[in-house]
Amino acid sequence: MTAVVNLDVPGPTISRHLYGHFAEHLGRCIYDGFYVGEDSALSNIGGIRTDLVQALRALDIPNLRWPGGCFADEYHWRDGIGPKESRPSMVNTHWGNVVENNHFGTHEFMQLCEMLGAEPYISGNVGSGTVQEMSEWVEYLTRSGDSPMSRLRKENGREQPWKVKFWGIGNETWGCGGNMRAEYFADLARQYATYCKNHDDNVLYRVASGARDDDYSWTETLMKSIGSLGGSPGPRDLYQATSFHYYTSAPTWENKGRATSFTDEEYDLTMAKAWRIDEIITGHSRVMDCYDPQARIGLVCDEWGTWWKAEKNTNPRFLFQQNTLRDALVASLHFDIFHRHARRLTMANIAQTVNVLQAMILTEGDRFLLTPTYHVFEMNKGHQDATLLPLHVIQDSARREADGLEFDAVSASASVKDGRVLVSATNLDLHDDARLRLDLRGGPWTLGEARILTAPAVRSHNTFDDPSAVSPQKFDGADRDGDALVVDVPAHSFVTVQLGLQP
Ligand code: AHR
């Protein structure tokens, strides 16, 4: 495989927000995950587990989306403020009909963000809420001075307003968020956005709930509602982004396979489906280009990742799944694709951070483990806010095929920041190693540290008894050959290589 990288021809900035996360009131993500309560024997601050926070800080998480997901459109924020003992409880009808006591609410979430060093991304309730309710939540969080909501916030112990930039207007409004038609929601998005105000110097980045997968017509309806074909005079500044969700599942969405026991055919199908996000982002971007050629409106993929059958002996509505090397390779592939779309794609959020779907961390009592996916986020964090160095890998073997879908076995991306280049390369092939030759043009460079994430099998995973079975190792398969960087990427592995640019 070969590719050319022009070190002196920069592409767009890869927003750090492509490395965003998502924590929903679902299963054991918040309760018995991040949040164990102040009386827990586990080390905590305000009920939030400090060991998890410490582990996650190593990922430089840029933003955290909350409280859903489908839960967001059943959530009434006023139930989650004030003294815990007087907060009303509710039933989380979407995720297992469990009782939600609202002990983790706005203040606890903002504290979690502060502890993680992440920006909050709040999903407001359109499906069963009101414009007033959402407007007041923004005011409660972000307004200083004297106002009904800032007074209430102060009564609850928080004098200063918080900074909140990212604001979701609904979630999956085509489905669990209200089963709306695009035309109806497009009007609601304009209305809700109007009353989600910028208070003081807090400037919101409003994200209108967007399409499922490749529903380009949903995106077109949202774009049409704030702009015109041709893009002139530019979209109205009501919402600043539209979103979409895409999950990877095999063999089919209706008949999901298991996280750790899957056939080689299912593995290939997983990768073919993971690659589909490239085509889907391209499709949404093309539609957006017609209405907004300057890319003023962002595209946000605020839910992505693998979705398998829940682990045996767990509540199926809690979506608890193990995480293998296969999941890690799905993640590294997604990041290459996200990087390539950095001009339009402004944010992405993996679903979800702890104990749900493609998690970074799994917990069991006082124990926790870091998943293979966690390690991809850590190994790739140098791409955050770096400048893309566009590259196109020319494959020297035939494209792989699974169930009629074709895909490339090798993927790579590169970026530069502060004089350091980070190259990421993924070899999806189950059996064959790949030699990747990157012809680096445009200036002298030195070879730095290289790391690899791999394991004897793609089904390998970390357990509470063997938490480091899949973890990054030093890699000596990268070398220079004249001006070329040659990386021997073993079968089913993810590699990162750092280079230094000489002034
Ligand atoms: O992430 C789990 C669920 O997937 C979210 O609640 C919903 O938005 C999506 O369907």
Side-chain angles (χ1 to χ4, degrees), residues 382-459:
H383 290 299
Q384 292 190 24
D385 284 341
T387 302
L388 180 72
L389 295 171
L391 66 81
H392 177 79
V393 178
I394 298 167
Q395 314 279 325
D396 55 16
S397 52
R399 300 195 83 201
R400 308 298 193 272
E401 194 267 345
D403 209 19
L405 295 168
E406 286 194 347
F407 66 99
D408 289 335
V410 175
S411 165
S413 63
S415 69
V416 59
K417 186 166 71 175
D418 303 330
R420 283 152 70 107
V421 173
L422 180 62
V423 176
S424 298
T426 298
N427 181 3
L428 302 174
D429 199 283
L430 275 173
H431 308 292
D432 294 341
D433 301 345
R435 169 161 288 194
L436 179 63
R437 186 184 171 86
L438 295 179
D439 190 1
L440 298 169
R441 301 174 185 171
W445 54 273
T446 53
L447 187 59
E449 188 194 49
R451 295 163 81 200
I452 185 166
L453 186 73
T454 193
V458 283
R459 293 158 196 85

Side-chain angles (χ1 to χ4, degrees), residues 22 24 26 69-70 95 171-172 245 247 303 307 351-352 357:
F22 174 33
E24 180 168 9
L26 192 180
C70 295
W95 302 118
N171 170 74
E172 297 195 351
H245 291 171
Y247 284 99
E303 288 185 30
W307 193 320
Q352 300 190 9
L357 297 176

Side-chain angles (χ1 to χ4, degrees), residues 149-166:
M149 290 303 113
S150 63
R151 236 172 286 143
L152 184 59
R153 183 190 67 237
K154 289 173 195 173
E155 279 164 30
N156 288 328
R158 173 78 189 195
E159 187 66 25
Q160 294 303 319
W162 288 282
K163 284 269 176 256
V164 179
K165 179 176 177 184
F166 301 113

